[in-house]
Amino acid sequence: FRVRIKQWYQRRVRGCAFVLGNITGQHSHAALHLHENGSIVESMLSLCKVYKGKLGEKTTKEKQSVTKDVLCKAVRVITNVLQNEKVAISVTPQLIKMFVSLGQIAAQAKIHEIAINVLSGLNNMSYYNKEGSLFVKHRGILADFLMKLLAVDNTPITIETLGVLGNLTQYRDVAEKVAEDKHVLKIAATLLDSDNSDLVYKSCGILVNITKFNEFHDKLPSKIIKQCIDVLCDVGMLDCELSTVTLYLLWNILYLKEIKTEEEERSKLLSLLTDYTDHSYCSNENWLSQFHPVAKRLITLLDPNSELLPL
């Protein structure tokens, strides 16, 4: 009888978490209401604590499946609610520590769906939290956790991990931590050659943050300028955001002049930028407002005799 009661309870818990996930995912006002009037984050956090302890238990495959499913759905609810700025900036140390702990366990156990939901939640937190916030104060612990996750061979996990790291490397101490880790920096640089535009974009974002500091430039691979030129050649106007962030990376590298530029590379980049800033190439509003200003600035840097005026 006790077993039946327990099974009934777990089915109800799983069902409730599923429904709450759908509601909070589809209706932002409902998510905020549940946070302000129902302590939804605290409730789901308590649920995570209970079921996280069950992950290591030796039990049947069916029970382990239920445990993973409840955790996945509970984290999804929290992640959905964290899309609201009011919720994201009011996170507690307990929630951050739970996400890091659960994310580590999920990644090691190859429970990728839980790991991705955890990272999505951290991404939502990192988007809204600024200097002095509780989330930012925990950036060292978070960076260590994220850097370990880059060893996981799973593209969605890598994309989400790079996204959070991209927000955290805006802070010098995190940028230094990443730059000093040869393995992590190598991964970020290598991903510039990826066929996945999301991986390239997010890796580029991290490298932009790191290259703001000239003392980290000697950690970069010598071929990084060529990699950026290749990205511009392959993408061009097809992905304005990716092309523009690639220009920001090139600007940081070339302006600080810590990496030697080969004449062939300089000439190819100058020719490419000249073509790309010709209005006959593309007159899209985003291309003109986002790409052109940075490209023209780079042209002036590469060719001081250019008729283009610096910004």
Side-chain angles (χ1 to χ4, degrees):
F1 179 73
R2 286 183 179 179
V3 172
R4 288 186 177 180
I5 289 293
K6 193 172 183 179
Q7 289 174 340
W8 175 86
Y9 171 76
Q10 288 182 333
R11 285 197 299 271
R12 292 297 178 272
V13 168
R14 184 163 50 172
C16 286
F18 175 74
V19 171
L20 286 169
N22 286 341
I23 291 172
T24 53
Q26 296 171 17
H27 307 285
S28 57
H29 62 282
L32 182 60
H33 176 79
L34 286 168
H35 169 68
E36 293 177 338
N37 300 287
S39 302
I40 187 67
V41 174
E42 290 77 7
S43 298
M44 292 298 107
L45 185 57
S46 297
L47 198 61
C48 286
K49 287 178 182 177
V50 172
Y51 279 85
K52 191 187 81 166
K54 296 176 181 289
L55 275 178
E57 293 179 358
K58 291 183 179 180
T59 182
T60 64
K61 285 186 178 181
E62 184 181 353
K63 288 182 178 179
Q64 275 295 300
S65 177
V66 170
T67 297
K68 293 174 187 176
D69 203 27
V70 170
L71 280 169
C72 188
K73 288 174 169 54
V75 173
R76 179 185 168 222
V77 172
I78 297 174
T79 294
N80 289 344
V81 177
L82 285 170
Q83 292 182 60
N84 186 284
E85 185 176 1
K86 286 184 179 180
V87 184
I89 62 175
S90 63
V91 295
T92 62
Q94 291 78 17
L95 177 57
I96 294 172
K97 290 174 182 175
M98 171 58 73
F99 266 24
V100 170
S101 173
L102 187 55
Q104 287 174 333
I105 293 171
Q108 289 170 1
K110 296 184 178 181
I111 313 172
H112 293 155
E113 193 173 356
I114 293 177
I116 290 169
N117 284 352
V118 164
L119 288 165
S120 296
L122 291 175
N123 226 328
N124 291 341
M125 290 185 214
S126 68
Y127 181 79
Y128 290 114
N129 281 275
K130 307 302 178 186
E131 187 73 57
S133 71
L134 190 65
F135 179 83
V136 173
K137 287 178 181 177
H138 282 76
R139 62 184 180 270
I141 296 171
L142 290 164
D144 289 336
F145 160 62
L146 294 165
M147 286 161 66
K148 290 177 183 175
L149 278 191
L150 286 177
V152 177
D153 185 18
N154 180 277
T155 298
I157 286 178
T158 302
I159 290 172
E160 291 291 343
T161 301
L162 292 171
V164 186
L165 264 181
N167 289 328
L168 291 178
T169 46
Q170 295 177 57
Y171 301 95
R172 191 190 183 285
D173 55 337
V174 178
E176 181 176 11
K177 190 185 284 283
V178 173
E180 293 296 335
D181 191 310
K182 293 180 181 179
H183 177 65
V184 172
L185 195 61
K186 183 179 179 182
I187 290 174
T190 301
L191 288 174
L192 291 178
D193 298 325
S194 172
D195 292 330
N196 186 307
S197 60
D198 287 332
L199 287 174
V200 180
Y201 180 81
K202 292 184 184 295
S203 297
C204 215
I206 290 174
L207 293 167
V208 166
N209 290 338
I210 291 173
T211 52
K212 286 190 297 186
F213 309 99
N214 65 340
E215 60 265 41
F216 302 144
H217 281 222
D218 63 337
K219 312 288 184 185
L220 299 170
S222 58
K223 66 173 185 175
I224 194 165
I225 294 174
K226 180 183 180 302
Q227 288 178 291
C228 290
I229 295 173
D230 288 342
V231 171
L232 290 174
C233 286
D234 293 341
V235 178
M237 66 177 177
L238 297 176
D239 192 330
C240 180
E241 288 189 356
L242 178 52
S243 290
T244 303
V245 77
T246 303
L247 287 188
Y248 280 120
L249 178 54
L250 280 167
W251 172 264
N252 286 355
I253 295 169
L254 297 172
Y255 180 75
L256 293 172
K257 298 178 180 178
E258 295 293 328
I259 295 179
K260 184 179 178 182
T261 314
E262 298 294 334
E263 180 57 33
E264 185 181 345
E265 290 177 343
R266 192 190 73 81
S267 178
K268 183 176 181 179
L269 178 58
L270 188 57
S271 174
L272 193 65
L273 293 176
T274 302
D275 289 343
Y276 280 3
T277 50
D278 189 312
H279 281 254
S280 64
Y281 172 73
C282 180
S283 57
N284 178 276
E285 185 178 340
N286 287 339
W287 185 257
L288 295 175
S289 63
Q290 295 177 31
F291 184 88
H292 272 222
V294 192
K296 290 177 179 179
R297 195 171 178 176
L298 261 173
I299 290 173
T300 307
L301 181 68
L302 292 166
D303 182 12
N305 297 319
S306 169
E307 295 180 0
L308 291 170
L309 295 173
L311 296 178

